[in-house]
Amino acid sequence: MASPEHVINQTQRSADMFRHLLYPFLPYRSFFSPFLILSAIAVPCWLIFRLYRLRTPGHRPSFRREILLLTFVVYFCGLATATLIPNHNSRSAAEAAVGIDLHPNLASLTCSSATLPRGSTARAFCLHNARGNVMLFFPLGILIPLVWKRLRFWSGIQIAIALSCSIELVQYLSRAWSNRNADVNDVVLNVSGACLGLAIVFLLRLGRRGTRPAVARA
């Protein structure tokens, strides 16, 4: 039988492990509730629309496509939550911004140690922001060619550019109450993430097409 000290130590280790796994998501904890609320509204509305759409004559339902479309809706709920809800943590940055700088800043995009000292809080925030903006649009690059199979690579990039620019424009127009800061660097990072997702899907498709003749000959 395990001693009380052993049970306490095991519980402490489990708690520490849980906190370690949860730590990367803590910066986004303020988005969880708005995301759940928005999803609770959007998903039922979407399901009702799709059920009505599937009842129309001549429409052939596809379970795979319906799952992809539903995933798309949930993703857009997350995207809207992460980019459009008021962000009180960036109030000072939003108040300091008076316009949109249309020239990408390479030092800001790369979080160069020449402008941001290594180990500084500003550099850590820059790296976190850059990774976040890239990963924010990475699912978009994967989803759009899966939903629209005939979509061309350049068309997918155009969709990403249009969506990212629209988000930044809304952030700029709503900066007085949302405390959001529009930044052209975010567009570059968003599109880079979408390009990465698109490239993965299209490369997998090319690889699959390349193996089909060999399988057929076998």
Side-chain angles (χ1 to χ4, degrees):
M1 183 175 180
S3 63
E5 292 81 5
H6 177 75
V7 174
I8 294 174
N9 292 335
Q10 186 66 29
T11 304
Q12 184 65 37
R13 283 195 295 268
S14 299
D16 292 340
M17 182 180 299
F18 179 75
R19 283 195 295 268
H20 179 73
L21 293 174
L22 191 63
Y23 180 77
F25 301 97
L26 289 180
Y28 307 101
R29 62 187 181 277
S30 60
F31 300 127
F32 290 156
S33 295
F35 168 70
L36 292 176
I37 294 173
L38 184 59
S39 298
I41 297 173
V43 170
C45 292
W46 173 256
L47 292 176
I48 293 173
F49 168 75
R50 291 306 296 174
L51 288 173
Y52 174 78
R53 183 74 175 84
L54 293 174
R55 290 170 63 91
T56 58
H59 188 83
R60 300 178 60 182
S62 170
F63 180 75
R64 176 180 177 274
R65 179 173 173 79
E66 295 304 321
I67 292 297
L68 285 173
L69 289 173
L70 182 60
T71 304
F72 219 141
V73 172
V74 175
Y75 165 72
F76 270 108
C77 290
L79 184 64
T81 302
T83 59
L84 300 179
I85 68 168
N87 184 5
H88 300 292
N89 294 329
S90 62
R91 180 184 299 274
S92 58
E95 291 175 350
V98 294
I100 303 178
D101 186 1
L102 299 179
H103 301 284
N105 187 335
L106 183 60
S108 178
L109 287 171
T110 59
C111 300
S112 172
S113 58
T115 56
L116 298 173
R118 187 176 300 275
S120 66
T121 303
R123 179 176 168 81
F125 175 80
C126 179
L127 292 171
H128 174 77
N129 181 69
R131 287 194 296 263
N133 277 293
V134 170
M135 296 308 299
L136 193 63
F137 269 54
F138 177 74
L140 179 71
I142 292 178
L143 287 171
I144 52 179
L146 294 180
V147 174
W148 296 285
K149 294 183 178 180
R150 297 182 180 179
L151 184 82
R152 296 178 180 272
F153 186 86
W154 174 240
S155 299
I157 295 177
Q158 290 178 316
I159 292 174
I161 293 174
L163 180 59
S164 183
C165 289
S166 299
I167 290 174
E168 295 303 317
L169 180 61
V170 173
Q171 289 180 342
Y172 175 73
L173 295 176
S174 64
R175 66 190 185 283
W177 62 271
S178 66
N179 301 315
R180 291 287 183 172
N181 183 22
D183 189 352
V184 70
N185 292 324
D186 292 348
V187 176
V188 176
L189 294 169
N190 290 159
V191 175
S192 298
C195 287
L196 181 61
L198 285 164
I200 291 175
V201 174
F202 278 87
L203 287 175
L204 289 175
R205 286 180 177 177
L206 288 175
R208 186 183 302 175
R209 291 174 185 174
T211 58
R212 282 179 181 176
V215 173
R217 287 193 298 268

